[in-house]
Amino acid sequence: MDAGTILGFIAGYLATLAGVFLLYLPVIALVVALLVAAGVLQLLLLPLVILVRKIRHRPSGQDTDGSWMLGR
């Protein structure tokens, strides 16, 4: 094997690597776009989630002690 053959193999491997990357680039872009969309949706729904938690929150005056389950 001479230097030209080895350089040819290296160029072939790099070309294959670039080709596979370009082949899967739309899939990678779609996954990134979906992650960004999910994050934006979570930020938009955050006020609604906080409102629902405030509405469902129990008043602090309730007895939350679990000792009644012990059967005293």
Side-chain angles (χ1 to χ4, degrees), residues 9-58:
F9 282 148
I10 291 174
Y13 287 137
L14 291 177
T16 302
L17 184 67
V20 169
F21 176 73
L22 290 175
L23 181 67
Y24 286 108
L25 187 61
V27 176
I28 294 169
L30 181 65
V31 168
V32 169
L34 287 174
L35 285 173
V36 168
V40 169
L41 185 63
Q42 280 185 349
L43 284 177
L44 290 176
L45 292 178
L46 187 61
L48 181 65
V49 170
I50 292 172
L51 180 65
V52 168
R53 284 184 183 172
K54 282 185 179 181
I55 290 173
R56 295 185 62 179
H57 181 68
R58 287 187 247 169

